[in-house]
Amino acid sequence: ASHKAEAKKVQQVKNAEAEAEARYLSGLGVARQRKAIIEGLQSSVCEFERDVEGATSKDVVDILMLSQYMDTLTQVGANSMILEHDPSTVGKLQASVGNVLGYDEKRKSK
């Protein structure tokens, strides 16, 4: 009976270690995915600024925000949920993201 209990304990420890390793590897995968997304966005922003005269990175972020907002509306609509969608909502969303990213502070310092 003592050997069975010890074997069960060892198995539980091994299972916990395997679970921890799986979560760690999953986290690495998510981090790499996010890094790839950011690198892709940086490249796209640079190309857009280069190819579209007078465009700024803020313009790209605004377009991206509007696109994401429309995608969200599509997904929410598919789930029969009601979401406010007048133009001022998009403006408020852009302002909020701008505050988080420091756009207002950058404008004030210019």
Side-chain angles (χ1 to χ4, degrees):
S2 174
H3 292 309
K4 283 186 179 181
E6 187 63 30
K8 185 175 180 181
K9 177 182 172 185
V10 169
Q11 186 61 43
Q12 287 176 336
V13 169
K14 292 293 182 186
N15 288 344
E17 289 172 349
E19 175 83 15
E21 182 69 12
R23 289 177 188 244
Y24 171 76
L25 292 174
S26 177
L28 281 179
V30 169
R32 288 179 181 153
Q33 178 186 29
R34 289 180 179 163
K35 183 178 178 185
I37 290 169
I38 289 170
E39 288 172 354
L41 284 172
Q42 286 173 332
S43 174
S44 295
V45 167
C46 290
E47 288 177 26
F48 189 86
E49 286 179 320
R50 185 187 66 229
D51 295 343
V52 179
E53 189 176 324
T56 66
S57 57
K58 184 188 179 317
D59 297 331
V60 177
V61 170
D62 288 347
I63 292 168
L64 181 63
M65 288 293 300
L66 186 58
S67 174
Q68 289 295 309
Y69 185 76
M70 294 301 176
D71 288 347
T72 300
L73 283 178
T74 301
Q75 291 298 318
V76 168
N79 294 315
S80 301
M81 209 170 151
I82 297 173
L83 182 67
E84 185 179 352
H85 61 278
D86 64 275
S88 67
T89 301
V90 176
K92 290 175 192 173
L93 182 62
Q94 286 175 328
S96 295
V97 171
N99 288 337
V100 170
L101 297 176
Y103 285 144
D104 290 340
E105 293 169 15
K106 288 177 186 174
R107 271 194 229 145
K108 290 176 186 175
S109 65
K110 286 185 178 181

